[in-house]
Amino acid sequence: MTLKQSYSGIFQIGATISDRMMKNEALKELIKSEFDVITNENNLKPINVLDFEKSVSDLTKYNESPAVKFEHLRPELDFIRDSKLDMRGHTLCWHNQTPDWLFYENYDIKGKLADRELMLKRLENYIASVIGWMNENYPGQVTSWDVVNESITDEGGVRDRLWYKTVGADYILKAFTFAKKYAPEGVKLFYNDYNCWLPDKKRGIINLVKQLKEAGVVDGLGLQGHINTSMNIELYKQTVRDYFSALGLEIRITELDIDMPGNCDFEYQGKYFRDYMKALIDLKNEGVNIVGVTLWGVTDDLSWKSGKNPLPFSADLSKKPAYFGMIEAAK
Ligand code: G3I
């Protein structure tokens, strides 16, 4: 049984893909058989989609609607389509991995920051362009979007970066409102964040997502899950329960990887993966609406935390104890 077969009827199992993975046919076959849903690790982020040269080449045309490019994404998008997998769009609005020039008048970082009115136009047009292009070229492929990523600080406030500075704190609500306007019906809109167990951050995220829910523009909460084996699983479990009881929205673990502080002990990591997944299944059984768990990567060597071996597959595609721990939890 593969991961997706083992979790069929419980929740979806997903993974990220990147450029390098698309060159490995054996890895692509493994992804097809193990996972239900795919996230592009980097290529759909604003920094990779926004086209500076084109945007500045014709300001009359692009000043309010920045130019976008997608050709670099084709191998990943074709693979997802041909494999008949779902796709999570990551991400439309993020303080990070968005080029500074986007926030300046005439896209000139030596000049002045653009005002709220102009930035709201750029935000709306960017979201419309990305959702529109995906919809036209890969209809039905994106089943959910991480609309806004990581906007709440560990202290619970809205992060003071360029979206906040130019638009104000309501850029988050605006981004969701635009995504709702352009996304096809049935596509789920998520707020996504990390370190979700920190009490102040949890309070901040709940306050924010409640407002989005009242406005009718959010469907789900993405809890990232970059953790290590010293994380208390009971605390994690209670955290997920708290979000669900406060918000009543669907919940996805969107970016799971579990490394080990100190020495690598793959057997111990395997047991931790098992207990962590078991905790999520228990929550699901008690009524918490967990709809999926996505691994942030597939094999250890290509992980953003590659030195720390946080994933269930080794570089040679062999299954680690972490893989068997995940399978065992679902039995
Ligand atoms: O592709 C370039 C390459 O051409 C260049 O030579 C090299 C030199 O540094 O950089 C390469 O790009 C890097 C890219 O990963 C691909 O490897 C970027 O510098 C690097 O910043 C980027 O890091 C990514 C990071 O987000 C920032 O976008 C990680 O791969 C990616 O795993 C990570 O993912 C984030 C989620 O989007 C949000 N949540 C946290 C998560 C982990 O940080």
Side-chain angles (χ1 to χ4, degrees), residues 58 197 212 284 321:
D58 185 351
W197 53 87
L212 300 173
K284 178 90 192 186

Side-chain angles (χ1 to χ4, degrees), residues 2 4 15-38 73-85 297-299 302 313-317:
T2 65
K4 71 174 165 192
T16 50
I17 59 173
S18 60
D19 291 333
R20 286 187 293 175
M21 294 187 197
M22 293 299 96
K23 296 184 184 121
N24 181 338
E25 291 305 320
L27 176 55
K28 284 160 74 177
E29 281 308 311
L30 179 146
I31 293 169
K32 248 190 248 184
S33 60
E34 296 287 348
F35 301 107
D36 301 290
V37 56
I38 298 299
L73 263 159
R74 289 274 189 193
E76 294 177 25
L77 298 178
D78 289 353
F79 167 70
I80 298 169
R81 180 197 57 210
D82 298 344
S83 309
K84 300 187 170 50
L85 301 174
V298 179
T299 57
L302 301 182
F313 294 91
S314 300
D316 63 2
L317 309 190

